[in-house]
Amino acid sequence: MRNLDEDTITQAVLARHTGAADPRLREVMTSLVQHLHAFARDIRLTEEEWFAGIRFLTEVGHITDDKRQEFILLSDTLGLSMLVTALNNRKPRECTESTVFGPFHVEGAPEYPLGADVANGARGEPCFVRGRVLGLDGAPVPNAELQVWQADADGRYDVQYAGDHGHRARGTLHADAEGHFHFKSIRAEAYPIPHDGPVGRMLDALGRHPWRPAHLHFMITAPGFERLITHVFRDGDRYLDSDAVFGVRRSLIADWVEHPPGPTPDGGISEVPYYTLDFDFVLNPERTA
Ligand code: BEZ
Ligand code: FE
């Protein structure tokens, strides 16, 4: 196999995969090589462009560590994360749609009783969130676990602040036997994804902004149902049609209803305007083999 040229090299690479012990790995790598080669041919990739790509990926690697995952951010901004989410979460139309997980979920966020204030000191306008977790038949899913997390009024997650200030604007709750849940938090705000690295420079070069529309993350689990990873997006947000990571689904947009100062749903009195968000989730039954 000598003197390979631009017409024969693709087949030659694929022929080297025949010894792969894992058939899925062989399938994945075969398709990847075919698409990579087709891409290079299609745009007649120059050597300078090839090297610029290598340099870019090197920078993505250098900035990535335990706290910052620039490769996932790259996948997110290229729409790949959302495509993989869509391919792997096909479900009946009545079910709540899934969307991207994002990098700001934290394992082991504190457990709160229903009604608690998960903001835990995070800055923002008060918001009371209420809803139910249901099955496809409309019957309540009892005692589902809900993990929630969101950015604060400055558009930052707790983990984006220097130092350890504890968990803020995130927590774990359990719905009651009728599927009801409620908690207090702060109004979700739009925020830019981390854009001080190579992915930010890529967005800039493409004339793209780094903003995500305001949203509240949920991860909901209950025995007998598929895990749901999603967000609820705030209606009226200016970035709903240009989310930097393509995560918006029409069915996930809801109203954060503004209320004047006064009595609040938890029986208290708010001195400042506050918001309520009502949203029900419909889980997909687990597939049985
Ligand atoms: C998020 O919603 O937390 C997120 C998703 C993708 C990239 C950056 C942030
Ligand atoms: Fe987010």
Side-chain angles (χ1 to χ4, degrees):
M1 207 179 284
R2 296 187 183 175
N3 293 341
L4 293 167
D5 61 23
E6 61 181 89
D7 296 320
T8 54
I9 189 158
T10 305
Q11 261 324 109
V13 177
L14 299 186
R16 301 266 174 104
H17 294 172
T18 49
D22 179 345
R24 178 62 178 167
L25 175 67
R26 180 176 168 185
E27 188 184 0
V28 168
M29 289 307 295
T30 296
S31 179
L32 182 64
V33 167
Q34 282 170 330
H35 283 86
L36 266 180
H37 286 209
F39 157 74
R41 287 192 185 94
D42 186 34
I43 54 150
R44 299 203 144 271
L45 192 67
T46 68
E47 286 166 299
E48 290 74 24
E49 289 163 344
W50 171 83
F51 195 61
I54 297 288
R55 240 187 351 249
F56 174 74
L57 290 174
T58 305
E59 286 167 20
V60 171
H62 281 162
I63 202 172
T64 295
D65 61 17
D66 291 354
K67 290 214 157 81
R68 169 107 180 218
Q69 232 306 352
E70 196 80 356
F71 282 106
I72 294 185
L73 213 52
L74 179 58
S75 161
D76 294 341
T77 51
L78 294 180
L80 180 62
S81 306
M82 201 52 215
L83 172 60
V84 173
T85 296
L87 289 172
N88 287 279
N89 290 277
R90 292 183 181 141
K91 45 192 164 187
R93 259 177 359 102
E94 296 77 13
C95 290
T96 304
E97 292 187 270
S98 301
T99 188
V100 280
F101 191 39
F104 298 123
H105 173 262
V106 169
E107 287 296 339
E111 171 92 34
Y112 288 102
L114 287 177
D117 181 0
V118 308
N120 192 27
R123 226 171 62 75
E125 299 182 79
C127 178
F128 295 86
V129 183
R130 304 173 290 215
R132 289 185 89 187
V133 183
L134 305 167
L136 259 181
D137 52 3
V141 173
N143 312 116
E145 181 194 273
L146 296 98
Q147 294 190 38
V148 299
W149 65 105
Q150 67 166 106
D152 65 13
D154 298 314
R156 296 167 91 182
Y157 287 81
D158 53 0
V159 290
Q160 293 179 285
Y161 288 93
D164 184 6
H165 305 279
H167 297 284
R168 290 184 308 203
R170 68 172 73 243
T172 305
L173 304 114
H174 282 85
D176 68 16
E178 264 66 59
H180 291 282
F181 65 86
H182 64 289
F183 60 94
K184 187 180 177 200
S185 189
I186 47 177
R187 194 178 84 143
E189 304 293 345
Y191 64 85
I193 61 169
H195 59 109
D196 56 343
V199 169
R201 289 194 288 281
M202 176 192 81
L203 294 180
D204 217 29
L206 292 171
R208 287 176 54 181
H209 70 71
W211 287 83
R212 296 216 65 206
H215 59 271
L216 173 56
H217 291 259
F218 284 86
M219 177 155 79
I220 304 179
T221 44
F225 294 89
E226 287 178 4
R227 183 174 70 171
L228 172 65
I229 294 174
T230 195
H231 335 324
V232 182
F233 292 92
R234 205 174 92 211
D235 200 6
D237 191 288
R238 62 184 289 207
Y239 297 112
L240 281 172
D241 291 313
S242 63
D243 181 5
V245 303
F246 307 95
V248 179
R249 292 288 169 273
R250 201 174 297 119
S251 67
L252 300 177
I253 300 173
D255 231 5
W256 264 245
V257 180
E258 186 176 357
H259 302 267
T264 53
D266 63 352
I269 302 280
S270 180
E271 307 284 319
V272 295
Y274 66 91
Y275 292 80
T276 51
L277 166 66
D278 291 273
F279 200 88
D280 292 344
F281 296 92
V282 178
L283 303 186
N284 200 20
E286 212 157 47
R287 272 167 283 206
T288 42

